[in-house]
Amino acid sequence: MFSYASGHVGDIRASAEVSDTVVNIIRGILGFFHVTLKTTQKIYELEEANIHGNCQSTYATELNKETNDMKITQVVDLTTCREKAEMYSGMATAVLDKVSQQRGESVISTMKYVHIVKPTEEGGLITKAHGRERQQFSPFNVKGGTFKMQAMKEIVLLSVSDTARPVTLGPVENKGTLVHKFVDAEANVPIMMQNLNNPIQKATELIKQMAEMNKDQINSSTTENAIKVYQLLRVVPVEGLEAMWKELAGNSDHRRWFLDMIVEINDGKILNFLETRFQKGDVSPSEMLSTFLLAINHLQVTPELVEKTKTFLNMSFSKSSTNLYHTVVLAYGSLVYKYCAYHTPCPVNVVQPLLDMALESLRNGNEADMVLALKALGNAGHPGSIKTIMRFLPGVSANPVDLQPRVQNAAMQSMRLIAARDPQSVQEITISVFLQKDLPSEIRMLAFMILFDTKPSMGLVSTVIAHLQEEKDFQVVSFAFSYLRSFARSKTPENIFLSTACNVAMKILAPRFGRLSYHYSKAIRMDWFNDDFLMGTATELYMLKSVESFIPSEITMKGKLFFIGRILQLLEFGIHADGIKDLFGTSIPGFKGDLSFNDFQALSSLFEKWGNLPNNKPLLTAFTRASGQEWFYTDISKDFIQNIIKAVSPSAGKESPLWAMIENLHRGVSWHTTQNFLTFEIRYFQSTTLGLPLEISKYYHVLNGISVNAKATVNPPLREHIGELLASEISLETDGFIGYTKDFWVFYGINTELFQCGSEFKGKLPVAIPWKFATKLNVKAKKFELDVPSCKKEFDLISVSSNVYAITRSSIDTALNKITPIMPTGMDFNDQVTQTDPVVGRFESNQGQKPNVWNPKSRTCANSNTYGVGLCVESELRRQYYHDEYPLYYFLGYTRLALTIVPVNAIKAVDNIHFEVNAGPSPLPLTTRQLLKTLNSHSKEDIQQDRVSSGSVSSARGSQDSRQDFVIEDLDLTPETVFNIKVYAMSGDQKPEGYDAAIYYTPEPNIKNAQMILSEIGEDTNWKMCVNTFVVRRIEAKANIRWGAECQSYEISLRGSTLHLPGSKPTLKTRLHWNKIPETMAEFGRRIKTYIPGMALLLGFTRQNQRNAKHEISASVVATSVDSIDVKLILPEYTIYSHSLPVPLPPETFLVLQQAISNTTMDSSGQA
């Protein structure tokens, strides 16, 4: 029953046994009777409640003069409802991108009612009514095609009964108003519908099955069963979870799978289960790390659950492990953030435990607790924590305390999420810190970053610019300018206004700071955004430095994904250098960066000071964040590194962990593990006029797995210390598997506990890398061997497949479930496609058009008949689309891409592939000596030709001649073998086939001369590649490459040289010359050549048409000043050049380069 007055439906009452789903359907029927009629106005607007919420309605009335009936048309814009009947879940950490939504809202809905009202003595009588709701949805821009949902209902008055007859009702309760009431849909997984009776037994059996079927490798066909388990676990009571734990905990595989999967229960039952485990202590801290973290991050955010989670902060088991305690505290901060995303204003009491923790650590002077509390407050992002955070910041605290930079760093970064919730307060703090020039550079740069996270106004940006023009700290200036320059180029919608302000700022600051070198702090951002797809990515890299140390104080890298009007913050990694800065200081004495012996000696002297570093100060701090939430960080101390060095030291004995590892390998090791992740479960619910809830959901599940079997032998075996490995031969045999399967679903349709219908996108990405090989390593003999069995069967290394389906499912009879591909697999693409799917709609304007069909297939393979293996790339697409409806239709169909390893018919039957590296001394075969003599002879001829063809008669001539004389003398010496590489296909006792590469080196003080000979091994083959290189005192380098039959078929040469004579600028010259090359290489060069003029024009180069050497390309770079170079490129048909190209180099680098080249050139020419 329901109350009704003046055309408005009031409270609805029903017995307690009537479900909310049924009541919602009744609400859809009652919506016919909810109408506002004004006889004095023909067109009017008003806000009123209906099944969709409080929405704006537009009425139009029309009187039929013949029947005297009134036609009332009501149109409701459901997109702009003030209090809309909708519900989100799983989107708390995804930032709303309003500008992106304005460019192409992904969900657009309208509702239209038409009522025919007949006037009576009592008022108006509704004789007929019709309702139609239309909704369009696209994961991309709606301008490019959409899914369409259309709901229609109609009611006709047939007769009027005796309204005075009494109605007998039993006990009823208030079920609410006409507005749709959402039911608890956590167990109603939209991509799965199964019988939920006896869930304990079903879930237990499925967990056991999946554990066994994915033990040795990932079985991609079973990964969807994980969703079934999640659904079953959500209806299992707490007592059932305890029963499952008792049954599964005894088996390590079953135990791990159970702990991985219960995290998706996401209600109070999981907290009760975890609390019991913490109290009993029947789990290890390492087991609870990921279980607790994921359970809290996937938990529903209700006041009761937040309050219950607080108890874990003070449990003794939580504090039994440092990493576990960090996880508990950081996870609670993340829970607070999600709670505040759905409850505005957010009460302070939810964040109070973290505030108390921060103040307590400040009173006790406990630096580690300060950092932990501040990081948790950063996760929480609660505006009420600003006053507490200010007490840790320099320059803004009313009672300043001398704190370490790492604490101040954590305090500044703890405002990163508050910046979006209370930008005004954060702006006041960060601008105050930034303008205080006596504060550390790193803190000021962090303040600058957080300030711009608030999206400051143009006025505030102008204030920053004014102070930057007077800034003396080049670290701060360089960071700020590079930050502004990166964001000025930003294309993502979130920065549409900020990029304009940054563009103005960059133009003002560029004349003075535009060429600061990479020696200083830098901010780099690269992004991309597509308006058709409403999708984009961004990558940011921040490097903070200070004048006290030449190594960065902090390096941070993070990524973002822009999708469906949301900003998803991906993984973020950061390293903060603490004590290690004290070790390196501003420079390393004696270190030049040329990797010479002096450089290694300088580093050795530096690390001798290792013991002087304090023990209580971390050397490095590393952290990682996901979705903007920090979930792990660790301090790397001096003791930690010393323990690692001690464990792997050659003098370490049986007490070393490495010794135990070697003994385990000697006995044989078999190990495997898997890890389930429901990475995200994003659900959006909206009411419909029929009373059935419309759902748009996205699920992303990952199953990782690795299995290893290994056995090693050491000959002779270890006796006293690990250093004996250096004189032993180590053999290892191993096989195993590493891989993962990723499943992705998108559902759009109706989802209730009774039935489901709609459209469903399903994608699967399995990666499978099996291995089996045997290795031998002899350090003393400098020899390494690897044997891999031949390929016997075809398998996919990686594949991607997806399709879109029309689905119907029933919980009453699962046999009625249907899943139909929207693009049929067996359709003939030569015939006209006429079928249309009721769920995937099309614009009405296209109903007379013929669709395009597309079914490309391809398979490309690269095969090796020598090794009996090939690599294939295959693809297949099936599409049906209209030209003016994109990009949605690109995805409506079947897709498969795969990278496959395949067996190939080899020249000889291949038993295994043998790979060998030998760096020990070996005698030169006679044929190799003869080939090296030939190479040396060619090198002499080339050098003499260079001498003859050189037109220089300046002082450079003497310098060049003296260098070449050194070369000619050295070429008569006998090279030494550096190392030899063999890759053979082994076939029993037959002669192996494959390739053999040898590197030779001539040890002389004047030049560095090396040769490489790559030979094909097999019957009736004489193919070789010969490479001859030499370097003269870092001034000149040359490489000559010949290949073909005995290295005689083709030839190219490369040459590079540096020159700096008195009165000239430092110059770098390169030249590429060829005599004869294969046609495929020539064609590739011709294609590249066609792009050069256009690229040169875009880069501002000048082109000069002239005939140059036919088979030669040369280039020169001249350092004309500290921050500019001249570039010239000479090709056979034309020359391109540019003057004064900006190249930011630190002034000291230019001077050192100038001096080094000058000294070396003068020395080599015999002038002191």
Side-chain angles (χ1 to χ4, degrees), residues 120-131:
T120 64
E121 295 181 357
E122 293 82 7
L125 179 64
I126 299 176
T127 59
K128 186 176 182 181
H130 175 79

Side-chain angles (χ1 to χ4, degrees), residues 288-541:
M288 281 294 100
L289 281 175
S290 61
T291 301
F292 186 87
L293 176 68
L294 294 175
I296 300 302
N297 276 278
H298 294 178
L299 191 66
Q300 299 175 25
V301 283
T302 63
E304 298 77 19
L305 295 183
V306 173
E307 190 65 29
K308 188 171 182 60
T309 308
K310 291 180 183 179
T311 60
F312 291 92
L313 296 173
N314 299 313
M315 296 183 71
S316 58
F317 184 81
S318 300
K319 300 179 180 180
S320 63
S321 164
T322 300
N323 289 334
L324 178 59
Y325 185 56
H326 287 180
T327 299
V328 170
V329 176
L330 294 175
Y332 180 77
S334 299
L335 184 64
V336 172
Y337 178 83
K338 293 197 300 179
Y339 180 82
C340 294
Y342 297 115
H343 299 81
T344 304
C346 190
V348 179
N349 68 295
V350 296
V351 78
Q352 193 62 48
L354 301 179
L355 298 177
D356 296 340
M357 185 184 300
L359 295 175
E360 181 65 22
S361 63
L362 185 62
R363 284 192 295 268
N364 297 335
N366 190 320
E367 184 177 307
D369 286 350
M370 292 183 203
V371 172
L372 175 59
L374 289 169
K375 287 179 176 291
L377 288 173
N379 280 356
H382 196 295
S385 60
I386 286 183
K387 290 184 179 180
T388 300
I389 294 172
M390 288 177 62
R391 301 185 63 172
F392 295 85
L393 290 173
V396 295
S397 174
N399 300 305
V401 181
D402 186 17
L403 298 173
Q404 292 293 323
R406 65 190 299 252
V407 178
Q408 296 176 352
N409 182 303
M412 185 60 68
Q413 295 201 48
S414 66
M415 294 190 294
R416 68 185 187 278
L417 298 179
I418 306 176
R421 292 176 169 176
D422 189 2
Q424 183 66 35
S425 299
V426 175
Q427 286 174 2
E428 293 176 359
I429 297 171
T430 52
I431 192 67
S432 175
V433 172
F434 177 72
L435 297 182
Q436 297 183 53
K437 299 182 179 181
D438 57 332
L439 296 179
S441 303
E442 305 96 305
I443 301 301
R444 297 181 62 200
M445 287 184 279
L446 284 173
F448 182 89
M449 289 171 52
I450 303 299
L451 171 63
F452 276 78
D453 284 346
T454 66
K455 302 296 185 287
S457 64
M458 188 66 210
L460 190 52
V461 174
S462 300
T463 302
V464 173
I465 297 171
H467 285 274
L468 283 175
Q469 290 177 304
E470 301 174 358
E471 182 61 56
K472 304 298 183 184
D473 189 334
F474 278 86
Q475 297 290 353
V476 174
V477 169
S478 176
F479 180 83
F481 180 79
S482 60
Y483 187 100
L484 293 169
R485 180 172 55 190
S486 295
F487 277 81
R489 301 168 180 168
S490 177
K491 304 298 182 183
T492 55
E494 62 161 347
N495 294 321
I496 185 172
F497 302 110
L498 181 62
S499 62
T500 303
C502 291
N503 193 33
V504 174
M506 185 188 66
K507 292 179 179 178
I508 296 173
L509 298 174
R512 184 175 179 184
F513 304 120
R515 293 185 177 179
L516 287 175
S517 76
Y518 287 91
H519 175 72
Y520 301 108
S521 301
K522 283 291 179 287
I524 301 173
R525 176 189 169 96
M526 296 176 290
D527 61 32
W528 161 86
F529 192 85
N530 183 280
D531 280 333
D532 288 334
F533 289 88
L534 284 183
M535 184 169 60
T537 59
T539 301
E540 299 173 8
L541 175 65

Side-chain angles (χ1 to χ4, degrees), residues 586-601:
T586 57
S587 64
I588 302 177
F591 186 84
K592 297 181 179 179
D594 57 0
L595 300 180
S596 64
F597 176 76
N598 292 333
D599 276 0
F600 288 103
Q601 196 173 30

